[in-house]
Amino acid sequence: MPITTTPRRQPDDPGHPRHRPDRSRRRPRPGFADLSYYGGAPLGAHPGATGEALRFAGAALAEGHAVRVHLLRGAVALAAEGAHPEQGELMAELMAADMAVSACGKALDELGVTDADLRPGIERGSMKALAAWTAESDSVLSF
């Protein structure tokens, strides 16, 4: 009686338990390469975190990454024109370098910041918009 053998499956074979689909065929996602959102506590609680987040965003922009920042909770105070001049000046420079910025609408309302008070270029955002940005991004960071 002849002996028959079954060829051993390789990891690139779709039937192999460790098979991974070819990632080169996946549909490219539109939008931005990176998303950085700063969820910050009130700015006085961790004063260094705001500067660190903005400096990181600047470094990412300098490396050619697209960066979007969504301000949450107390960090929305940065969105108000004239508030926190040092961080506000850096944010304005980064926005001039194509960094997109939105601020949580609910947090803006809680702080009493109106749309007229927002720095030029900052949009009133929402969790739905943040979820869409997150889905389109390759990286998500929180400071």
Side-chain angles (χ1 to χ4, degrees), residues 56-75:
F56 176 82
L61 286 167
E63 290 293 318
H65 296 282
V67 177
R68 295 188 281 192
V69 174
H70 184 78
L71 302 171
L72 294 169
R73 297 187 287 281

Side-chain angles (χ1 to χ4, degrees), residues 8 11 17 25 28 34 50 54-55 69 79 97-98 101 104 112 129:
R8 188 176 170 150
R25 285 187 267 161
D34 294 318
T50 303
L54 292 175
R55 285 192 308 277
V69 174
D98 292 331
V101 179
C104 175

Side-chain angles (χ1 to χ4, degrees), residues 29-142:
R29 290 184 286 182
F32 289 68
D34 294 318
L35 166 69
S36 173
Y37 74 92
Y38 170 61
L43 292 174
H46 304 287
T50 303
E52 290 166 6
L54 292 175
R55 285 192 308 277
F56 176 82
L61 286 167
E63 290 293 318
H65 296 282
V67 177
R68 295 188 281 192
V69 174
H70 184 78
L71 302 171
L72 294 169
R73 297 187 287 281
V76 299
L78 283 173
E81 183 71 48
H84 306 281
E86 186 177 317
Q87 289 96 347
E89 185 177 310
L90 178 55
M91 186 178 301
E93 289 176 25
L94 296 174
M95 290 171 61
D98 292 331
M99 180 177 80
V101 179
S102 68
C104 175
K106 183 175 186 269
L108 288 170
D109 292 342
E110 288 173 359
L111 285 179
V113 178
T114 66
D115 289 350
D117 298 331
L118 293 178
R119 293 180 191 276
I122 296 181
E123 299 177 3
R124 176 177 286 269
S126 65
M127 288 298 164
K128 186 175 181 179
L130 177 59
W133 274 11
T134 302
E136 294 171 358
S137 299
D138 292 330
S139 300
V140 177
L141 304 172
S142 178

